[in-house]
Amino acid sequence: NTISVTMLSFLMGDVVGRSWGKEHFDKIQWSLKSQTLPTDELLNAVVMASASLFLITPGIITDCIGILILIPSIRPMFSDILMDFGKKKITVGELYFFIKE
């Protein structure tokens, strides 16, 4: 049963990464061609990529976070967290967005 649940979450992450990744990449390309900044599309792409990575990574906590990100009404909360994190890094003047331990 454990292996089945792990493989199911891996497949969900793979499907999310492939389908929504292409969709967001196409939206980013379209906005760049129309000479507008793809801020919302880029932010959503990063959030959905992180959902895919959370689902691919084995573990109950990572699977729960990945499934929470997939819920459309909760997704803006994760986008806001990511936006605040990016703004904080930019105001400090750090060029890289790596998390230090």
Side-chain angles (χ1 to χ4, degrees), residues 70-90:
L70 293 180
I71 300 172
S73 61
I74 299 177
R75 194 176 309 141
M77 180 181 73
F78 289 99
S79 296
D80 292 340
I81 291 170
L82 183 65
M83 184 69 82
D84 292 340
F85 178 74
K87 284 180 182 178
K88 187 187 318 179
K89 290 289 189 173
I90 289 171

Side-chain angles (χ1 to χ4, degrees), residues 49-63:
S50 63
S52 176
L53 289 175
F54 278 127
L55 286 170
I56 288 174
T57 305
I60 295 173
I61 296 173
T62 57
D63 289 345

Side-chain angles (χ1 to χ4, degrees), residues 15-27:
V15 167
V16 167
R18 288 178 187 241
S19 64
W20 283 349
K22 174 135 177 58
E23 176 186 340
H24 287 296
F25 182 75
D26 290 341
K27 286 181 182 178

Side-chain angles (χ1 to χ4, degrees), residues 5-51:
V5 170
T6 303
M7 291 305 296
L8 178 67
S9 68
F10 178 82
L11 289 175
M12 283 176 51
D14 187 42
V15 167
V16 167
R18 288 178 187 241
S19 64
W20 283 349
K22 174 135 177 58
E23 176 186 340
H24 287 296
F25 182 75
D26 290 341
K27 286 181 182 178
I28 291 169
Q29 288 294 323
W30 182 81
S31 38
L32 287 175
K33 287 178 184 176
S34 65
Q35 297 179 350
T36 59
L37 290 175
T39 53
D40 291 335
E41 291 89 2
L42 192 59
L43 188 62
N44 287 331
V46 170
V47 169
M48 292 309 294
S50 63

